[in-house]
Amino acid sequence: MSELIEAKTDEQIARQQRQLEITEKWFEYSQREAKLLAASDYAPKAYKGNVANCVLVINLARRLDIDAAVLMQNTAIIHGKPAFEAKFVIALINRSQIFTRLHYVFSGTVGQDDWGCRVVTYERATGEKIEGPVVTIAMAKADGWFAKEGSKWRSIPQQMLIYRAATFFGRAYCPEVTLGLHTQDEIDDMTIDVRPVGPKALMDLFPQTQGE
């Protein structure tokens, strides 16, 4: 019995050593590839000259089974987090072949608060019709997306409805396809103003404390 345990232990050690060798070789290869990407004119600002960021995007590309250079053109690093472009999320979902191509169904009145959009598609394995969450202009206003300075919700609302409906669908029905990552637009919409507040502003926020 002890010999069997020892043999299994030796086999586990050998397997771990092989895995370590593979990991070390992959890391060396990734560093070489990252240096090429970082030096390329193809590299966006977040990756230009930044080998560490390029190694991370190579690792992410491996997990998504996609070319690192293509992924680099469709991601950004916002507040220390990788974020996809919305159109790239749509491409990943369509490429996965889990569903038929995404279709967008609009409801409500164009230009009004009830104007909304949802994804409608079919699961290939079962043929089941899948309807994603409805995203409306009222939702965009209620969550503060619409009022943000420079918001695309005011300039291209239809496109933003499509993008947000697709990302909500992906998060609800196939988060493994995008590894659960957010889009650039979502992170921008979630960003909170954290600039320091001066004494006068604090007095305005808490008028009841004045004169105490």
Side-chain angles (χ1 to χ4, degrees), residues 79-108:
H79 308 305
K81 296 181 180 180
F84 294 139
E85 291 190 5
K87 64 179 184 293
F88 184 66
V89 168
I90 295 170
L92 288 176
I93 296 172
N94 282 331
R95 189 191 68 153
S96 73
Q97 294 294 297
I98 298 173
F99 311 98
T100 57
R101 290 186 65 84
L102 304 186
H103 290 273
Y104 307 98
V105 177
F106 287 87
S107 57

Side-chain angles (χ1 to χ4, degrees), residues 121-180:
T121 184
Y122 291 86
E123 188 176 33
R124 291 183 183 275
T126 64
E128 180 185 358
K129 184 179 181 180
I130 307 294
E131 295 183 342
V134 177
V135 179
T136 65
I137 295 297
M139 181 189 298
K141 289 181 177 180
D143 287 345
W145 310 337
F146 201 90
K148 287 180 71 71
E149 184 177 353
S151 173
K152 295 179 182 177
W153 284 94
R154 294 198 298 269
S155 58
I156 49 171
Q158 182 173 349
Q159 194 66 47
M160 292 305 295
L161 285 170
I162 289 173
Y163 283 164
R164 197 55 52 89
T167 54
F168 275 20
F169 175 88
R171 190 158 296 111
Y173 292 100
C174 54
E176 72 280 7
V177 172
T178 62
L179 304 181

Side-chain angles (χ1 to χ4, degrees), residues 30-55 57-58 69 72-73:
S30 296
Q31 282 188 309
R32 291 197 299 270
E33 184 180 1
K35 289 177 181 178
L36 290 174
L37 289 173
S40 171
D41 291 337
Y42 193 75
K45 183 179 180 180
Y47 303 100
K48 186 71 172 177
N50 193 322
V51 175
N53 281 356
C54 288
V55 169
V57 83
I58 289 169
M72 190 168 60
Q73 286 290 324

Side-chain angles (χ1 to χ4, degrees), residues 14-31:
R15 187 183 304 115
Q16 290 173 352
Q17 288 176 338
R18 290 195 298 272
Q19 185 61 42
L20 181 60
E21 290 175 0
I22 292 171
T23 302
E24 289 177 346
K25 289 179 180 178
W26 180 86
F27 186 70
E28 291 173 1
Y29 171 80
S30 296
Q31 282 188 309

Side-chain angles (χ1 to χ4, degrees), residues 57-58 60-71 74 88 92 95:
V57 83
I58 289 169
L60 184 57
R62 180 173 63 88
R63 293 175 182 274
L64 291 170
D65 190 25
I66 199 167
D67 183 76
V70 172
L71 181 60
N74 288 279
F88 184 66
L92 288 176
R95 189 191 68 153

